[in-house]
Amino acid sequence: MLFMNFLKRVRGNRDTTALNYKTVGLIGLCNGAGTTQLGIMLANYFSNGLHLRTAVVSVGEDDAFDRIREEVQTTRVRTYDGSRRGFSYKGIDFFGSVRDGFVHVITPYYDVVIVEVNLANMKDRLAESLRDVMSCECRILVGSMVPWKYGECIKRLQRINRIYSVRYMPIVSVTWQERLAKCMEREFDVRAYQAPMEPDPFRMKGSAIEKLKQLVT
C-alpha cells in the first residue's frame, strides 16, 4: 500500500532528469554486491513508477534471471517481437546472458534499458566486457564494503580506471561503512551512496524510491 501511494505521487510529479536517460548501466564489482537486486528495483521504479517501457539486460554468463523465471509465472516479451531470450514479469522485460551488442538491438523498443554486468564473472577481456555498460548514459558502480570483498572491489576499480574514467560516478553498497566509503571517494573521486535495499524489489517503500531517484538524477 505504501509503495502504491508513493507511485501515485511520483506519477503526478515525474522527475525530468530521470526521464532523460535512455540507458542505465550497473557495474557489479564482486559477487553478492546486490547488482541484480538494484537493477530490478530501478526497473520497477521506471516501469511501475514512471510508466516507462523498461527492460533489464544482464551481459555475460549470469543465471540470476533464469532463477526468477523458475520461481514465478512469467509471460512473453511484449515490446520486442521475435525475441526468444527474454521474458516479461510485472511489466518489466528481462533478458539474461546476452552477448555484446544486444543492448543496441533492443534499445529502440524501450524508453529505458538497464544494463548490468558482474565483473567477478569476467576474468579476462575487461574492456570488451564493459563496452555495453560504459556506453550507457547513466553508469553506476555496485560494490561491497565487507572486509573480505572490499579489497577485491578496490582492485577492480583500479583496473577499470586504467581503461575508463570512473571520476564522479556513483558507487553504491548495501554493506555500507562510512569510513570505507570516504576512502573510496578520496581515492577514485567517486560519489558513494548507501544502496536502498528491500527484500522484495517489486514492493518498495517510498524511502527506497527516493534513494533510487537520487542515483539516476
Side-chain angles (χ1 to χ4, degrees):
M1 182 62 69
L2 289 176
F3 180 49
M4 294 307 298
N5 289 338
F6 187 85
L7 290 186
K8 290 178 181 178
R9 295 197 298 273
V10 169
R11 290 165 191 159
N13 184 25
R14 294 185 176 187
D15 188 278
T16 55
T17 306
L19 292 173
N20 285 336
Y21 287 129
K22 179 74 175 180
T23 51
V24 178
L26 304 180
I27 305 169
L29 299 175
C30 66
N31 281 323
T35 310
T36 298
Q37 187 84 351
L38 180 61
I40 296 174
M41 292 175 72
L42 280 170
N44 192 20
Y45 164 59
F46 282 119
S47 177
N48 297 309
L50 300 182
H51 284 277
L52 301 176
R53 293 171 300 168
T54 305
V56 188
V57 177
S58 177
V59 177
E61 297 299 323
D62 188 349
D63 63 354
F65 294 166
D66 292 338
R67 295 171 189 170
I68 296 174
R69 199 171 196 168
E70 292 170 0
E71 295 295 328
V72 299
Q73 186 174 1
T74 62
T75 58
R76 295 179 62 182
V77 170
R78 297 168 297 171
T79 54
Y80 179 45
D81 296 334
S83 174
R84 298 179 180 178
R85 302 190 64 88
F87 63 90
S88 187
Y89 180 65
K90 297 284 189 180
I92 303 164
D93 289 347
F94 293 82
F95 299 90
S97 302
V98 305
R99 296 182 178 180
D100 182 45
F102 180 82
V103 174
H104 303 291
V105 174
I106 69 166
T107 298
Y109 296 89
Y110 297 94
D111 299 312
V112 178
V113 176
I114 298 169
V115 187
E116 64 172 64
V117 60
N118 182 0
L119 295 186
N121 299 329
M122 309 289 182
K123 303 301 181 184
D124 302 309
R125 300 177 300 178
L126 182 65
E128 181 180 335
S129 302
L130 287 169
R131 187 176 298 133
D132 278 345
V133 73
M134 290 303 292
S135 68
C136 292
E137 295 160 304
C138 176
R139 298 177 295 276
I140 301 170
L141 300 157
V142 188
S144 175
M145 295 184 189
V146 297
W148 54 91
K149 291 185 179 181
Y150 177 77
E152 178 185 353
C153 292
I154 292 297
K155 289 179 181 177
R156 288 217 168 87
L157 276 172
Q158 291 169 340
R159 287 188 63 196
I160 295 170
N161 212 27
R162 287 195 286 267
I163 306 170
Y164 299 99
S165 174
V166 299
R167 192 178 188 186
Y168 303 138
M169 286 177 60
I171 180 167
V172 300
S173 177
V174 179
T175 52
W176 180 260
Q177 293 192 47
E178 187 74 23
R179 179 181 63 83
L180 296 180
K182 294 298 182 185
C183 288
M184 280 185 171
E185 289 183 329
R186 285 194 299 269
E187 182 173 353
F188 298 100
D189 204 6
V190 295
R191 296 169 293 145
Y193 298 91
Q194 185 171 6
M197 186 55 61
E198 296 283 356
D200 183 350
F202 295 101
R203 297 174 60 87
M204 298 185 293
K205 297 183 181 69
S207 57
I209 301 174
E210 288 293 350
K211 289 183 178 181
L212 292 175
K213 288 176 63 178
Q214 187 179 26
L215 291 176
V216 294
T217 56

